[in-house]
Amino acid sequence: MAKKTKRRPALVRLMLDNRRHWPGLIWLTALMLVSGLFKSLSADYLGQAVDQGMEGDFQAMSWSIGVTLLMVLADAVRLGVFNVETARTVERMFLDVKRQVFGSVAGCQLSAFEHGMQGGDVLSRVTDDLPALSRSFSETFTWLISVFCRGVVALAFCIGVSWELSAVYLVITPLLIWTMNKIGKPIQELQTKASRSGGKAYSIMSEMLQNNAAIKAFGAEEAMDQRFAGEVESQAARKGTILTLTAYLSDVVLIAVVFLFGGWLIATGQISVGAFVTFVTLSGSIREAFSLLDKSMSTLRQAEAYALRIYEVLDLPQEKSQTAPTSPIQKSSGEAGPMEGLSFSYLPGKPVLQGMELHVKPGEHVGVIGPSGCGKTTLLRLICGLYQGYEGDLRVLGRTVAETPLEELREDIAVVSQEPHLFRGTIAENVRYGRLDATDAQVEQALRNAQLWDFVESLEEGVNTQVGDAGSRLSGGQRQRIAIARTLIRNAGLIILDEASSALDTKTEGEIQRTMDEAFRDKTVLVIAHRFTAVAHMDRVYCMENGRVVEQG
């Protein structure tokens, strides 16, 4: 039995997939290392200043103090540069991740959304999880390099001052932090309960506002006040008093041990007062490193969870590029869309299409009708290459769909659907989605052929008029005519009309139908509809039922 491949942690994948940002992260690490050196050297010079002052060498002491202040100032400048560079590097990195997510969604198989992840879930991951991952990554990276650059450098200097004092400090500090965590865990649970109490308090307030008249009518003001006070008090009473006291006591214990042992080392002449001052100054960086390391592990787990959710989007199954075309498209000879023995299933053993036989000749208008669920939409999506894995023969304009690159296949297909898909932007921009390099003259001609030019000319901004979200500023008929213009400007070899006018009222439907008949007169057209009246004027009509063609004529 083959072993299941173990996948890398999501954060490791994130780093490996964004190698081009490593130089920026290395630069940030170098800046933090410089900070560690500045802090350690300034503490060392401060200790020297103390010893020099005690010896009466005020000139040397002034020099040491001057160097200390200069290093503090330099570290302040370094901090400003570090903050700017961190924001810039992380922002660029996660802008790339956002683009990767967008590309993954744009290129994923249609079934990924129809039978898997929902659109709202994807949006949640982009709008909520990705910013949260960015923050967690920034914090964790900053904390970890702070631990290794500032904490380790400070520890090295402390060992140089007194290895005995350093050993005592390294034993006590982790113990105190462990004790804080053990005490802090139940406190955190209390604070979680306090948050829930706060939610209940807000609910009580909401009830009072909504039912104020009833509360007054029944004289229940005092009862409501007691309910609210009880929740607020329980919330306030649990606000980390024990944790604060424990933190204070741990600091007192640590300081007491360091000063007692340090005082003994000074008294026995093993270290100078200045060296002890250097140690105390640097020991704060060591304790901060321990705290940040613990904090980093918690934030790292959160970041891993966010990254995992992002990679669930990045790992969505992508459309296959398919093989290179075996022959050029033949638009003028042969059949435009022959289908023979075409079968397809979403799930094994449950066929949606069964042995479909359908033929479309160049320049012919062919209709396909049938009840809901008979396989018409599936047929459309197979023709457009939206689903793969079919059985049988399916060709579009002389080219086998399974052997044709999707981009080339879709370049020669245009679809007008029941609900026209318009995008936020101008009328011209929406028409140009059919052909991005179309000229203004071609846009105008397409709108004329779609019988919308008179309306566009009546608008103050003409083709530069904004259509609103999903074309909300236009009527249903106007949106459909823009979709027709977009199809015309594409100049595709095969036009597919998918219930293109059925969502409109009877009058508008008739007008749109006449527009399409005129606009697509010389095109190869495949019309998909529920009603026979929509395809009565076609050259040939196929009737589908349960995934098969049951009648044609």
Side-chain angles (χ1 to χ4, degrees), residues 322 326 390 392-396 398-405 409:
Q322 300 176 303
T326 56
Y390 64 84
D393 185 21
L394 173 59
R395 281 173 282 162
V396 173
R399 185 179 293 185
T400 302
V401 170
E403 297 176 351
T404 306
L409 173 70

Side-chain angles (χ1 to χ4, degrees), residues 157-168:
F157 270 78
C158 284
I159 292 174
V161 169
S162 170
W163 69 266
E164 301 96 334
L165 197 55
S166 299
V168 170

Side-chain angles (χ1 to χ4, degrees), residues 71 133 211 229 252 527:
M71 288 190 175
L133 174 60
N211 306 297
V252 170
V527 179

Side-chain angles (χ1 to χ4, degrees), residues 345-351:
S345 301
Y346 293 110
L347 299 173
K350 295 183 179 180

Side-chain angles (χ1 to χ4, degrees), residues 202-215 224:
Y202 285 123
S203 297
I204 294 170
M205 175 71 76
S206 178
E207 286 178 359
M208 187 190 72
L209 292 173
Q210 292 174 1
N211 306 297
N212 198 17
I215 291 171
M224 290 295 291

